[in-house]
Amino acid sequence: QVQLVESGGGLVQAGGSLRLSCAASGRTFSSYAMGWFRQAPGKEREFVARISPSGGIVYYADSVKGRFTASRDNAKNTVALQMNSLKPEDTAVYYCAAAPASQFYRGYNSDMYDAWGQGTQVTVSS
């Protein structure tokens, strides 16, 4: 099973940018669909973005579309989330997660994911 470690969170002013990274262990990283989720205090975990095993297909939540970009580098076993034009409502703990490729089209659902990182805090001040 793949193991995931996120990095890159922090405190940023509204309108700023952050880039999150997720490093994966294991030789089968390229066979996994990868997802980004977030959870704000007192709220349920919500889907942010998912990327196909090849990286060729990416879906976003409406709330981040046009501001966030997900990408992956299978040679380096990494997936990234570039976040621009950040808003206070983007404040949350962000998680990367791995799902079997067969679950990619249902990857908006956190139940499809087998492995999760520990999360990284993103705080956007107004």
Side-chain angles (χ1 to χ4, degrees), residues 5-29:
V5 178
E6 300 100 336
S7 61
L11 173 64
V12 65
Q13 289 188 331
S17 298
L18 281 175
R19 183 177 179 86
L20 306 183
S21 294
C22 176
S25 63
R27 292 175 291 178
T28 59
F29 174 74

Side-chain angles (χ1 to χ4, degrees), residues 1-4 23-30 32 74 76-77:
Q1 185 175 355
V2 66
Q3 294 184 320
L4 306 172
S25 63
R27 292 175 291 178
T28 59
F29 174 74
S30 61
Y32 286 92
N74 286 341
K76 296 182 178 179
N77 281 14

